[in-house]
Amino acid sequence: MPVEPTPADLYWRCPSCGRRETTRIRLSARSRPSRTCACGARQELTGVSVSTRVSDGYDALYGLPFFLTDSCASHTLWVANRTHAEYLMDYLGADLRRKRDTDVGRGMEQRLPGWMVSRKHRAAVLRGLRRLREHAQTLEEIRGSIARREVRHQPA
């Protein structure tokens, strides 16, 4: 997975004087932030808030960009895995899309961006999803072959 710096708010507290501060930095998987308080004590990191959105193609838990992305209709098309790509292909490729009558239990379908469900972009989106599905399939096959190789080489 590519690791790119992601905007984040870091929340600090000084164990010595109790002072609380917030800093904004670009955080990556290799970042090891630290901070010294005005009183000279080393502050403790009490929280991190990543300011990226899943709709922008970033994982909500870690704030890292999804690996399975493709440029499509001047936007970024992304999927989490092969199953996600297949689900979107089935929904977006359908001739008749059924809508739910209520907002209760809204599914992913009602949250898709307008450009993605647009008739104008249907062919391009489906092409992009097919490419992403094939890429995800390749990654799954590689992961499977590595796992099989590790099982064969384990000591008895």
Side-chain angles (χ1 to χ4, degrees):
M1 176 178 286
V3 179
E4 297 176 6
T6 304
D9 291 327
L10 304 180
Y11 303 99
W12 304 91
R13 187 183 75 75
C14 177
S16 184
C17 69
R19 181 183 186 141
R20 295 181 182 273
E21 296 180 339
T22 302
T23 57
R24 183 173 203 66
I25 67 166
R26 294 190 59 81
L27 194 62
S28 73
R30 295 179 186 227
S31 297
R32 301 289 181 256
S34 65
R35 186 168 176 87
T36 304
C37 185
C39 72
R42 185 177 176 140
Q43 291 184 334
E44 297 173 345
L45 184 62
T46 60
V48 177
S49 174
V50 178
S51 57
T52 56
R53 300 178 317 195
V54 173
S55 61
D56 295 331
Y58 288 87
D59 178 81
L61 181 60
Y62 300 107
L64 298 173
F66 283 112
F67 185 69
L68 298 169
T69 61
D70 192 23
S71 181
C72 178
S74 300
H75 296 277
T76 300
L77 180 64
W78 62 269
V79 295
N81 52 39
R82 182 178 51 86
T83 306
H84 185 208
E86 290 171 351
Y87 180 85
L88 287 173
M89 288 172 63
D90 289 344
Y91 178 74
L92 296 172
D95 291 330
L96 179 62
R97 297 182 195 145
R98 299 187 56 98
K99 290 188 177 183
R100 297 181 188 189
D101 294 334
T102 67
D103 283 344
V104 176
R106 286 177 51 187
M108 174 176 48
E109 305 89 14
Q110 284 80 20
R111 295 185 183 104
L112 292 173
W115 69 268
M116 193 180 284
V117 296
S118 166
R119 182 180 196 181
K120 175 177 152 184
H121 299 280
R122 178 182 283 202
V125 169
L126 290 174
R127 271 193 311 273
L129 288 171
R130 277 192 291 275
R131 283 191 300 268
L132 291 173
R133 181 187 61 189
E134 290 169 8
H135 191 67
Q137 179 70 34
T138 303
L139 292 175
E140 288 174 6
E141 291 169 1
I142 291 169
R143 185 176 15 186
S145 69
I146 291 171
R148 284 190 299 276
R149 193 174 333 139
E150 288 175 354
V151 168
R152 277 186 289 178
H153 294 300
Q154 284 185 355

